[in-house]
Amino acid sequence: MNNKLKGTVSIIISAFCFALMNAFVRAAGDLPTMQKMFFRNAVAFFVAAAVLAKSGTGFGTQKKFVPHLFLRAFFGSVGIFCNFYAIDHLVLSDASMLNKLSPFFAVICSYFILKEKVKPYQAIAVIIAFAGALFIIKPAGALLNYASLVGVLGGLGAGIAYTMVRKLSQMGERGPFIVFFFSAFSSLVTLPYLIFNYHPMTLWQLCSLLLAGIAATGGQFAITAAYSYAPAREVSVFDYTQIIFAALIGFFAFGDVPDIWSVTGYIIICGVSVWMFIKNKKEFGRL
C-alpha cells in the first residue's frame, strides 16, 4: 500500500476503535461518568508509559511545554467527560456526531490561539456545521435536550485540546508524551472521586471499561499513525466513518434508531466536512 492508502486505512481503524469505545462506555451501564473516565484513561496511561519507556526518550519535558500540556489535558478531560455523559443519555450516533464538531471548533480556536487565518470557506463551513448540529440538538423551549448541549461542549473541549496538540507538535513535543501527560492528568483528576464515591462494579462492567480503555488507546495510536502516513487534508474526512460504525453498533447492540432530524444533521455535518476536504485538496494543489 502507498502512504495515502495506509493513512486512509489507519484513520478508518481509528474511527472503528473510537466507536467501540463509545459502545463499551454505554455497555458499562449506570456507573458515574467520572468512574468511567478513570478506567478509560488509566489504560491509556500505562500503554503510553510503556511506549515512552521503550523509546528511551524519558518522561521529562521542557518548561516551555508545560502550559500547553496543561491546557491540552484540562480541555481534553472536559471533552471526554461531556462525551461520556452524552453517550449515556443520547442515541450513540447522536453523541458521536456532536463530538465530531471538534474540527470546526478547532478552526475557531486556531484563529484565536494560534493566530492562524480563517479562510472564508472555513468560516462558512463552521456556520453550516453548527446549523446541522441544531437538527441533532433539537432546541424547542422546555423540551431542550441538555444532554445534547453537553455533547456540543464535549466537541468544544476536544477542539481546544486538538489545537493545543497542534501547538505542542509545532513546538517539538513528542506525541507519546502528550498522550502520557493527558492520561496521567485525567486519571489523577478522577482518582479522588473514585476513592470517595466508588460504585461497586460487576465483572461485566469492569471488563467493559477496560475494553473501552483498550479501544480508546487503539484509536489514539491509529489516528497518530494515519497523520504520519498522510496529511490531514487527504485523510481526515474518513474519520467521519465513526458515525456509520456508531449507528450500526448502536442499532444492533442497543436498539438505537436516530430520528429523521438527527439523520438530517448527520448529512449536513458530514456533507460540509467533505466540502472542506475537497476545498483543502484543491487549495493545496495550487501551492
Side-chain angles (χ1 to χ4, degrees), residues 267-287:
I267 293 171
I268 292 172
I269 296 173
C270 290
V272 75
S273 300
V274 172
W275 178 60
M276 277 189 67
F277 170 74
I278 294 171
K279 289 285 290 184
N280 286 337
K281 286 202 69 176
K282 285 182 178 179
E283 183 173 320
F284 178 74
R286 291 196 297 267
L287 295 178

Side-chain angles (χ1 to χ4, degrees), residues 131-142:
L134 291 176
F135 284 90
I136 303 173
I137 299 171
K138 295 179 274 288

Side-chain angles (χ1 to χ4, degrees), residues 25-37:
V25 168
R26 168 77 72 83
D30 59 353
L31 294 172
T33 302
M34 297 286 274
Q35 190 164 325
K36 292 181 177 182
M37 276 183 63

Side-chain angles (χ1 to χ4, degrees), residues 109-232:
C109 295
S110 294
Y111 173 77
F112 288 104
I113 298 174
L114 304 182
K115 307 304 179 183
E116 294 181 345
K117 184 179 179 181
V118 176
K119 295 178 172 57
Y121 75 87
Q122 292 175 319
I124 293 171
V126 169
I127 294 170
I128 295 174
F130 285 115
L134 291 176
F135 284 90
I136 303 173
I137 299 171
K138 295 179 274 288
L143 298 178
L144 181 65
N145 190 334
Y146 291 102
S148 294
L149 292 180
V150 172
V152 173
L153 287 176
L156 173 61
I160 298 174
Y162 294 153
T163 304
M164 290 298 105
V165 170
R166 177 171 169 77
K167 179 66 174 179
L168 286 163
S169 298
Q170 291 174 343
M171 294 171 68
E173 181 57 286
R174 299 153 294 159
F177 186 82
I178 297 173
V179 176
F180 170 80
F181 187 95
F182 162 58
S183 301
F185 176 90
S186 188
S187 297
L188 287 174
V189 166
T190 53
L191 183 59
Y193 183 93
L194 189 73
I195 293 173
F196 295 106
N197 197 27
Y198 176 78
H199 282 52
M201 297 185 292
T202 65
L203 179 61
W204 166 251
Q205 288 176 315
L206 176 61
C207 290
S208 293
L209 292 182
L210 291 176
L211 288 170
I214 293 170
T217 305
Q220 187 67 53
F221 279 94
I223 202 167
T224 301
Y227 291 132
S228 69
Y229 286 128

Side-chain angles (χ1 to χ4, degrees), residues 247-280:
L248 291 172
I249 294 172
F251 176 75
F252 287 107
F254 307 107
D256 287 347
V257 180
D259 60 28
I260 187 63
W261 298 109
S262 291
V263 173
T264 302
Y266 302 168
I267 293 171
I268 292 172
I269 296 173
C270 290
V272 75
S273 300
V274 172
W275 178 60
M276 277 189 67
F277 170 74
I278 294 171
K279 289 285 290 184
N280 286 337

